[in-house]
Amino acid sequence: MMRDCKNGKVWLVGAGPGDAGLFTIKGKKVLDQADVVVYDKLVGQGVLGMIPDQAELIFVGKVSGNHAVPQHEINQILLREALKGKRVVRLKGGDPFVFGRGGEELELLCKNGIPFEIVPGITSAVSVPAYNGIPVTHRDFVSSLHIITGHTKKKEEAEIDYHSLVKLGGTFVFLMGISAMPKICQGLLEAGIEPDMPAAVLERGTSAHQRRVVSDVTNLTKDAEKAGIKTPAIIVVGKVCALEKEFHWAEDRPLGGLKIAITRPKDRDSSLADKLSMLGAEIMLMPAIETKEIKNNKPLEDAIHDIRRFDYIAFTSPVGVTAFFNKLREMKKDIRDLGSIRFAAIGTATRDAIEKMGILVDLMPAVYSGRALGELIAARSAELGSKIGRKPEILIPRARIGTDEVTTPLEEASIKFTDVAVYDTFEAESNEKAESGNSHGTLIEFASEEADYVAFTSASTVRGFAASCGLSNFSDVKAVCIGEKTAEEARKYGMEIHISKEATIDSIVECFLGL
């Protein structure tokens, strides 16, 4: 029986082959509750971006030439953290039990009575060929699938019975066998496999920059060396490899082959990421800024106590909408207390946030900018003033660092307004600060992630990215900006600029499609 560990427990979670969309629903639910996440290099960045802020990170993979943490030490880490009563997630690329050493990690946990669960992941042995148009089984070609490791615990190269494999036939998938490719191909040939048997090597499968070399067993090593294939990669041998010419699909999607970094507040979902992902892009979420509601906000409380003196409430962001209505609920009020107040939104995202609260938006400018919003409110307020016999009053709940774009037109029209800060915006910390504090809420090392474009949705995300991305020269950064104000900030850093026609999510998607 498993002894009481003060609720400490370990979950071995398969993160899949890299594409965040292939991470399982259960894996995500378990990850959301983690106190500690022990992860390796093969976990995709998209999955790493899902790790909650409260979790402590322990990296046990190989990076920058440093040796990987030995397996026995990883086993000890899992035991140590569980004995502290923590919820420990061992996040592993692929599946924990498909040559993922999951069984080895369980041995020590079982010996010490530590509760555990297994969350299977999608193995690269099946998913990577699929993303390259290679079905590992096909009734017209093969009747079996064999997954073989290129090396074992005791030896750098596995001892493989090639004669038995060749007699069995079917599709052979070799994991962790790139360095042993010459011996693998030679072994198959000596065992009697057809010299022209189709074979493929698949690099960085399921990522935007995946590559494949399709050849035959005789020439695969030579062709892979010529193409400069590197790890991580898998080898596939079998007649099904010839189907990739007909079945390839991943790179054919509208944004297939593009890796796009999206900067956004780390506590907000990204509809832009969802749209770009559906078009085939690999998404790297980079929390360049953080927003926090202002607590003990007396100016906002005073405004809400006297809310019916206002004729318009103007919102400049979805975050402002959330902060305002959170305070409304905190004060035991709801939309009935708002009376006949009209609502104005700077753009579609803000409008949608308001309408989720059960309120239809009265004003939204054709051009989504602070200036356009202020001018529209000023024009409509003049009309409203003639009806009610006084100058209307406007409430503007927004960020503390908000610009004067929206308020200048109101001042010019002598319209009374109350500008209330409801949230603060913080730019991400530098990588050095993040590393020293074991923080992962900031940006990963951007320079090593090979993003093709960076999507910026505000000037503050540009500044947060610049402070945290690990770059000293930004001339190679291809920035896709949601509006001129954002582009103006990106130009300060010398980035290559692309600007959406409108300041909307759909427009920035169209901008990507036109690149």
Side-chain angles (χ1 to χ4, degrees), residues 220-475:
L220 182 63
T221 299
K222 177 186 65 177
D223 292 342
E225 289 177 354
K226 184 177 179 181
I229 294 294
K230 299 178 181 179
T231 58
I234 69 171
I235 300 167
V236 184
V237 178
K239 294 179 180 179
V240 290
C241 292
L243 295 173
E244 63 85 23
K245 292 181 180 179
E246 183 180 358
F247 290 169
H248 64 76
W249 61 273
E251 62 268 34
D252 302 332
R253 295 172 292 176
L255 296 180
L258 286 185
K259 186 168 187 175
I260 300 172
I262 297 180
T263 59
R264 77 343 175 190
K266 69 177 182 179
D267 54 348
R268 285 175 57 192
D269 293 331
S270 175
S271 61
L272 175 59
D274 294 339
K275 291 176 183 291
L276 295 177
S277 180
M278 288 300 293
L279 290 168
E282 180 184 359
I283 302 302
M284 181 168 66
L285 293 176
M286 305 181 74
I289 60 173
E290 179 182 2
T291 59
K292 289 186 178 180
E293 294 180 23
I294 299 173
K295 302 300 181 183
N296 303 317
N297 193 338
K298 190 174 186 305
L300 178 58
E301 292 172 359
D302 291 344
I304 291 175
H305 277 306
D306 197 17
I307 195 68
R308 296 207 180 187
R309 86 167 192 263
F310 298 104
D311 301 283
Y312 280 104
I313 301 178
F315 290 104
T316 61
S317 72
V319 182
V321 175
T322 300
F324 175 82
F325 282 95
N326 282 346
K327 178 59 71 173
L328 202 66
R329 283 190 289 271
E330 181 186 309
M331 296 174 65
K332 307 300 181 184
K333 296 179 181 293
D334 60 24
I335 58 175
R336 292 171 295 183
D337 293 282
L338 301 178
S340 59
I341 295 174
R342 296 161 178 81
F343 282 76
I346 195 170
T348 54
T350 305
R351 177 199 63 195
D352 293 346
I354 296 171
E355 293 186 348
K356 283 182 180 178
M357 302 297 175
I359 298 170
L360 296 179
V361 170
D362 300 279
L363 297 180
M364 186 176 73
V367 177
Y368 305 145
S369 71
R371 180 80 191 184
L373 176 63
E375 290 174 347
L376 179 60
I377 295 173
R380 293 297 177 87
S381 294
E383 298 173 10
L384 180 62
S386 63
K387 294 180 181 179
I388 61 178
R390 61 175 176 80
K391 287 190 175 183
E393 289 192 42
I394 318 298
L395 175 63
I396 310 174
R398 58 176 182 155
R400 194 191 300 271
I401 60 170
T403 68
D404 58 2
E405 275 197 334
V406 68
T407 57
T408 297
L410 302 178
E411 292 173 341
E412 292 172 348
S414 299
I415 294 173
K416 188 176 181 180
F417 64 88
T418 300
D419 189 4
V420 179
V422 296
Y423 67 92
D424 285 310
T425 301
F426 302 95
E427 295 169 6
E429 297 176 342
S430 68
N431 279 333
E432 292 181 1
K433 289 178 68 178
E435 289 171 3
S436 64
N438 193 34
S439 169
H440 57 285
T442 55
L443 304 188
I444 59 171
E445 184 73 22
F446 174 80
S448 66
E449 290 301 321
E450 300 176 336
D452 299 293
Y453 293 93
V454 184
F456 293 111
T457 54
S458 68
S460 57
T461 61
V462 176
R463 292 189 294 269
F465 170 85
S468 308
C469 68
L471 297 176
S472 57
N473 185 327
F474 299 91
S475 60

Side-chain angles (χ1 to χ4, degrees), residues 18-272:
D19 184 339
L22 299 181
F23 191 40
T24 67
I25 294 173
K26 184 170 184 179
K28 176 65 165 62
K29 289 181 177 179
V30 170
L31 193 60
D32 286 342
Q33 302 300 317
D35 297 315
V36 179
V37 177
V38 182
Y39 69 103
D40 56 50
K41 184 65 174 177
L42 291 180
V43 177
Q45 194 280 331
V47 176
L48 291 178
M50 300 178 188
I51 298 175
D53 288 346
Q54 77 271 8
E56 177 188 354
L57 293 187
I58 301 177
F59 178 67
V60 294
K62 183 178 181 181
V63 63
S64 300
N66 295 323
H67 293 293
V69 177
Q71 186 61 50
H72 68 88
E73 290 187 19
I74 296 175
N75 302 344
Q76 290 292 337
I77 290 171
L78 299 179
L79 175 61
R80 180 191 71 209
E81 297 300 323
L83 288 174
K84 294 177 182 177
K86 295 183 178 181
R87 296 183 295 267
V88 183
V89 169
R90 173 66 172 109
L91 194 59
K92 306 167 72 70
D95 178 89
F97 283 174
V98 181
F99 302 119
R101 299 188 177 182
E104 296 175 48
E105 294 174 353
L106 290 185
E107 291 172 359
L108 187 62
L109 299 179
C110 289
K111 183 178 180 180
N112 288 272
I114 302 297
F116 63 84
E117 286 189 29
I118 311 301
V119 182
I122 297 177
T123 174
S124 61
V126 173
S127 56
V128 170
Y131 266 56
N132 282 274
I134 299 175
V136 291
T137 65
H138 191 296
R139 289 193 299 174
D140 293 338
F141 296 93
V142 296
S143 58
S144 61
L145 166 65
H146 311 278
I147 304 172
I148 309 105
T149 180
H151 63 79
T152 64
K153 180 178 180 181
K154 296 181 179 180
K155 295 186 178 181
E156 194 63 30
E157 293 182 7
E159 294 181 357
I160 300 170
D161 186 347
Y162 292 106
H163 286 86
S164 296
L165 270 181
V166 172
K167 286 180 182 179
L168 287 170
T171 301
F172 310 141
V173 178
F174 296 88
L175 304 182
M176 300 173 287
I178 298 304
S179 61
M181 189 188 309
K183 289 191 176 183
I184 290 172
C185 292
Q186 186 62 33
L188 291 171
L189 288 168
E190 290 176 354
I193 200 169
E194 297 95 319
D196 61 350
M197 175 64 72
V201 58
L202 313 175
E203 178 187 276
R204 292 188 289 183
T206 78
S207 73
H209 300 149
Q210 69 175 27
R211 294 197 300 156
R212 65 179 172 271
V213 172
V214 180
S215 181
D216 54 46
V217 176
T218 302
N219 297 293
L220 182 63
T221 299
K222 177 186 65 177
D223 292 342
E225 289 177 354
K226 184 177 179 181
I229 294 294
K230 299 178 181 179
T231 58
I234 69 171
I235 300 167
V236 184
V237 178
K239 294 179 180 179
V240 290
C241 292
L243 295 173
E244 63 85 23
K245 292 181 180 179
E246 183 180 358
F247 290 169
H248 64 76
W249 61 273
E251 62 268 34
D252 302 332
R253 295 172 292 176
L255 296 180
L258 286 185
K259 186 168 187 175
I260 300 172
I262 297 180
T263 59
R264 77 343 175 190
K266 69 177 182 179
D267 54 348
R268 285 175 57 192
D269 293 331
S270 175
S271 61
L272 175 59

Side-chain angles (χ1 to χ4, degrees), residues 5-20:
C5 292
K6 298 181 180 179
N7 298 319
K9 186 173 179 178
V10 175
W11 285 261
L12 299 190
V13 178
D19 184 339

